[in-house]
């Protein structure tokens, strides 16, 4: 809501969302636009005062991206981020902070190229960035932040094995947040299994590995967790990855975790039980909840899941419209688009799903458009990932 010239945030419990929210959407948009213009003025002044400062150029790029000025004539976010990278190359240091900035600027550059549908350039830069050698001395915070950005670039280009290798460093510190609010850590070997499952599920392949890891994790939890907390642990550890791999493993595994307050999970359980009427009702409630969001404001993992749900209950036309809306709104996608593997892979899988839906309806133009994008981004992907791109290229 607006309070004079201030954006005020009013918290609502998740359980109250069915009642709807009361806020001034148009007023909020006007205020955000005004504030972006104010920030742009500051950023332009900063770059004029210090044209060779990479931080100044990066700030201007971020403001211009928020304003929707991604490419085209200057000033644009793409021109500014390239200026930032050039300035960084002239002034960079070999320490951890310098390497993190270098990776951060490249990640932003790739994101902007994606928003402009320049997929070949995005893939080439991402492939280059993930080959850079990190300095030997990095503090823990910089390592985690840098790894998150590199993981996003690796995932975008289909390098599942390298994503797994990167994330295995954190297996011993894998946190499990229970619904009770308690946070616990898994033993290192089990944490490694969960991270591997999460990565394979994010890519949606290979199916056999996802199924085997799911079974092994369940078995290990039974021997490690008190029976009174077993169901809660299963949900905390397995619900997220299984919900990302529904298109390849089906609904049974996720449904077996039990009832949920999450309407998407409840809808999946309804699909599994053959109750399409209930599933459609829940899907419609999700659509109402998303109605206030502009294209690009909903993250691609959510778009992908809910498009799968629509297709699963026979609403392929709604799934198609949802994917089209999200992909057309890519220029407005959040800035965390390439932070971590899940969002990066969800973007490519959304393209893949849109291509499949187009092929099923004989829409050859749309099929070729998105299959070409997937093939381009996954040109140098791991074999099991690249195979998915090759399969959609041949489908009709």
């Amino acid at each position: 809501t607006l309070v004079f010239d201030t954006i005020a945030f009013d918290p609502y419990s998740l359980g109250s969302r069915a009642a709807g929210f009361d806020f001034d959407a148009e007023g909020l948009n006007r205020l955000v636009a005004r504030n972006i213009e104010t920030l742009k003025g500051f950023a332009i002044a900063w770059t004029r005062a210090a044209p060779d400062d990479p931080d100044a150029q990066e700030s201007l790029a971020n403001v211009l991206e928020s304003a929707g000025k991604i490419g085209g004539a200057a000033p644009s976010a793409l021109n500014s981020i390239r200026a930032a990278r050039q300035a960084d190359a002239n002034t960079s240091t070999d320490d951890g902070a310098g390497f993190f900035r270098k990776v951060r600027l490249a990640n932003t550059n790739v994101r902007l190229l994606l928003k402009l549908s320049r997929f070949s350039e995005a893939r080439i830069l991402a492939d280059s960035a993930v080959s850079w050698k990190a300095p030997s001395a990095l503090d823990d915070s910089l390592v985690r932040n840098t790894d998150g950005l590199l993981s996003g670039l690796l995932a975008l280009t289909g390098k599942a094995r390298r994503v797994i290798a990167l994330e295995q460093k954190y297996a011993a510190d894998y946190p499990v947040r229970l619904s009770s609010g308690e946070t616990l850590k898994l033993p290192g070997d089990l944490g490694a299994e969960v991270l591997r499952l999460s990565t394979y599920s994010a890519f949606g392949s290979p199916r056999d590995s996802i199924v085997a890891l799911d079974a092994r994790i369940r078995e290990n939890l039974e021997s490690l967790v008190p029976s009174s907390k077993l169901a809660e642990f299963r949900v905390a550890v397995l619900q997220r990855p299984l919900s990302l791999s529904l298109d390849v493993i089906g609904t049974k595994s996720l449904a077996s975790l039990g009832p949920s307050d999450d309407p998407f999970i409840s809808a999946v359980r309804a699909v599994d039980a053959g109750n399409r009427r209930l599933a459609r009702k829940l899907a419609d409630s999700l659509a109402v909840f998303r109605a206030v969001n502009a294209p690009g404001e909903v993250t691609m993992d959510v778009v992908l899941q809910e498009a799968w749900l629509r297709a699963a209950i026979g609403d392929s036309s709604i799934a198609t419209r949802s994917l089209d809306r999200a992909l057309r709104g890519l220029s407005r996608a959040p800035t965390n688009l390439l932070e971590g593997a899940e969002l990066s892979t969800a973007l490519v899988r959304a393209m893949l799903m849109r291509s499949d839906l187009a092929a099923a309806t004989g829409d050859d133009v749309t099929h070729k458009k998105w299959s070409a994008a997937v093939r381009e981004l996954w040109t140098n992907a791991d074999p099991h990932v690249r195979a998915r791109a090759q399969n959609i290229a041949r489908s009709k």
Side-chain angles (χ1 to χ4, degrees):
T1 57
L2 298 181
V3 179
F4 299 103
D5 65 348
T6 299
I7 303 174
F9 293 93
D10 295 325
Y12 290 82
S13 67
L14 287 175
S16 71
R17 61 184 170 185
F21 299 101
D22 180 22
F23 64 95
D24 179 9
E26 291 185 5
L28 184 62
N29 289 337
R30 285 195 302 271
L31 181 59
V32 170
R34 191 200 69 182
N35 286 353
I36 287 174
E37 284 301 307
T38 301
L39 283 173
K40 186 168 74 172
F42 291 147
I44 290 174
W46 186 8
T47 57
R48 287 173 178 168
D52 296 325
D53 186 340
D55 291 333
Q57 296 290 352
E58 182 183 14
S59 295
L60 180 56
N62 291 334
V63 173
L64 292 171
E65 181 182 6
S66 297
K69 292 184 65 67
I70 311 298
S76 72
L78 186 61
N79 286 334
S80 295
I81 204 64
R82 285 173 169 168
R85 293 184 63 215
Q86 183 60 55
D88 178 65
N90 295 335
T91 62
S92 64
T93 58
D94 293 330
D95 60 5
F99 184 71
F100 172 57
R101 184 168 68 182
K102 181 180 180 182
V103 172
R104 185 181 70 236
L105 294 175
N107 187 285
T108 300
N109 199 158
V110 172
R111 182 177 74 241
L112 295 174
L113 289 168
L114 285 175
K115 290 186 173 187
L116 293 168
S117 298
R118 292 161 65 168
F119 301 121
S120 178
E121 293 173 70
R123 193 245 328 145
I124 290 169
L125 178 55
D127 279 344
S128 175
V130 298
S131 70
W132 295 336
K133 184 174 177 58
S136 56
L138 285 174
D139 65 52
D140 289 345
S141 176
L142 285 174
V143 168
R144 283 183 177 272
N145 290 334
T146 304
D147 284 350
L149 297 177
L150 290 173
S151 178
L153 297 176
L154 288 166
L156 178 71
T157 51
K159 298 175 178 63
R161 287 175 296 190
R162 288 191 60 186
V163 171
I164 290 172
L166 202 64
E167 295 186 344
Q168 289 299 298
K169 294 190 293 185
Y170 307 105
D173 296 320
Y174 188 85
V176 176
R177 295 177 179 86
L178 303 180
S179 59
S180 61
E182 185 179 7
T183 300
L184 302 171
K185 287 184 179 180
L186 293 178
D189 54 347
L190 184 53
E193 296 274 76
V194 173
L195 285 169
R196 193 174 290 111
L197 172 64
S198 297
T199 298
Y200 285 143
S201 295
F203 280 95
S205 69
R207 181 187 184 280
D208 290 348
S209 297
I210 296 171
V211 171
L213 283 164
D214 176 28
R216 198 153 61 234
I217 290 167
R218 289 174 190 254
E219 182 179 345
N220 288 334
L221 284 174
E222 288 183 2
S223 63
L224 291 171
V225 177
S227 58
S228 60
K229 290 189 174 183
L230 184 56
E232 195 177 6
F233 258 90
R234 282 177 179 156
V235 169
V237 169
L238 295 172
Q239 182 170 283
R240 176 63 173 167
L242 294 180
S243 71
L244 289 171
S245 52
L246 290 164
D247 58 329
V248 291
I249 66 169
T251 57
K252 191 174 186 61
S253 291
L254 183 59
S256 71
L257 297 178
S260 172
D261 292 333
D262 185 324
F264 174 76
I265 303 300
S266 297
V268 173
R269 286 175 55 80
V271 171
D272 186 69
N275 190 343
R276 284 194 176 189
R277 183 177 180 180
L278 175 58
R280 183 170 286 111
K281 181 180 179 180
L282 290 164
D284 288 344
S285 73
L286 285 168
V288 171
F289 183 61
R290 308 281 182 223
V292 299
N293 297 114
E297 289 184 348
V298 180
T299 55
M300 280 295 177
D301 56 328
V302 174
V303 171
L304 182 67
Q305 287 175 318
E306 294 179 10
W308 171 88
L309 174 60
R310 286 297 187 177
I313 59 178
D315 293 342
S316 293
S317 60
I318 298 178
T320 295
R321 289 198 297 271
S322 175
L323 290 167
D324 280 342
R325 188 170 185 262
L327 291 170
R328 280 198 302 265
L330 188 57
S331 64
R332 306 296 297 178
T335 56
N336 65 349
L337 181 65
L338 298 179
E339 293 180 12
E342 287 185 357
L343 296 183
S344 299
T345 52
L347 170 59
V348 187
R349 289 177 66 190
M351 297 174 182
L352 190 154
M353 185 177 185
R354 183 63 189 95
S355 179
D356 282 341
L357 288 170
T361 59
D363 181 356
D364 198 46
V365 173
T366 302
H367 165 68
K368 287 181 177 179
K369 173 184 177 180
W370 293 117
S371 63
V374 174
R375 286 200 315 276
E376 179 58 53
L377 291 170
W378 283 353
T379 295
N380 299 319
D382 292 351
H384 70 88
V385 177
R386 191 166 63 248
R388 300 197 71 186
Q390 292 168 341
N391 286 339
I392 63 166
R394 289 192 295 268
S395 65
K396 292 292 181 184

